[in-house]
Amino acid sequence: MEYIHADRKPEFLTADRISRAVAVFDTGSPDYGKDLKTVSEWAKRHGIRLYTVNFEFKAKRAGAADPENTVTIYKDEINIYGIPANTGLKGLLDDRFDLLICTCNGAEKDGTMPYPVEFVVKCCNALFKAGTGGRTSLFDMCVSGGKDGNDRKNDNAEQVEFLLHTLSTIKN
């Protein structure tokens, strides 16, 4: 719990002023590939160095290696308290980012995120935290619901696109 930044004051930077961002994904989401591509292209378009945290809620495969700037957290790396024990994640949590984007829509039956995802969001040292669905108290900006205003979990790709569009158009 030493990583939680309770005294953090959110600071929004326009997309052209963001230099480093971290994005959190659930690889089990049906929109994972699309979300990853959308966020990566958005970051590249704005000249943002993107780091990713992937939650793979399965056991680690032998020989699995992460690409550069990516940390994958496997089910067997999460302790009984729901805290990920991954050396790559420790290094990432020690770092400082301008923006955190969480695309993990509430996967639990009550609409909340799994605790390991919540832990990473709380502990990441980012100036501004934005996310889709889940608990809005975790984020400085949160997007939920679909085009018609209904709160549907299957609209995650649409929510991510709207979130990135909003981050690109807000001016300080």
Side-chain angles (χ1 to χ4, degrees), residues 13-23 39-51 69 97-101 164 167-168:
L13 299 175
T14 55
D16 60 323
R17 291 182 51 215
I18 297 171
S19 62
R20 296 166 40 97
V22 61
V39 173
S40 297
E41 288 174 353
W42 177 82
K44 188 175 185 179
R45 191 169 50 251
H46 291 284
I48 299 169
R49 184 172 173 103
L50 184 67
Y51 295 78
N69 297 337
F97 296 93
D98 297 322
L99 174 67
L100 173 131
I101 299 169
L164 296 175
L167 288 171
S168 299

Side-chain angles (χ1 to χ4, degrees), residues 49-66:
R49 184 172 173 103
L50 184 67
Y51 295 78
T52 58
V53 177
N54 295 320
F55 279 91
E56 178 84 37
F57 290 104
K58 298 177 189 167
K60 187 173 186 171
R61 301 176 311 271
D66 286 334

Side-chain angles (χ1 to χ4, degrees), residues 23-159:
V24 182
F25 299 98
D26 178 357
T27 61
S29 166
D31 293 324
Y32 165 68
K34 185 175 182 181
D35 292 346
L36 177 62
K37 182 179 179 189
T38 302
V39 173
S40 297
E41 288 174 353
W42 177 82
K44 188 175 185 179
R45 191 169 50 251
H46 291 284
I48 299 169
R49 184 172 173 103
L50 184 67
Y51 295 78
T52 58
V53 177
N54 295 320
F55 279 91
E56 178 84 37
F57 290 104
K58 298 177 189 167
K60 187 173 186 171
R61 301 176 311 271
D66 286 334
E68 185 181 2
N69 297 337
T70 299
V71 174
T72 302
I73 300 166
Y74 295 92
K75 183 178 182 175
D76 52 357
E77 294 178 322
I78 299 171
N79 68 22
I80 60 171
Y81 303 107
I83 298 173
N86 178 301
T87 55
L89 179 64
K90 183 181 180 330
L92 191 116
L93 294 177
D94 285 339
D95 229 336
R96 186 174 174 94
F97 296 93
D98 297 322
L99 174 67
L100 173 131
I101 299 169
C102 183
T103 67
C104 298
N105 217 342
E108 301 296 316
K109 290 179 183 176
D110 62 356
T112 61
M113 285 186 253
Y115 184 74
V117 176
E118 186 177 325
F119 176 83
V120 169
V121 171
K122 283 181 178 177
C123 296
C124 185
N125 189 7
L127 292 175
F128 193 80
K129 297 179 182 185
T132 60
R135 284 197 9 229
T136 57
S137 63
L138 293 173
F139 305 110
D140 303 312
M141 182 175 91
C142 188
V143 173
S144 64
K147 284 182 184 174
D148 57 5
N150 292 327
D151 191 19
R152 300 185 321 240
K153 289 184 183 181
N154 295 338
D155 290 334
N156 201 51
E158 183 181 296
Q159 292 172 6

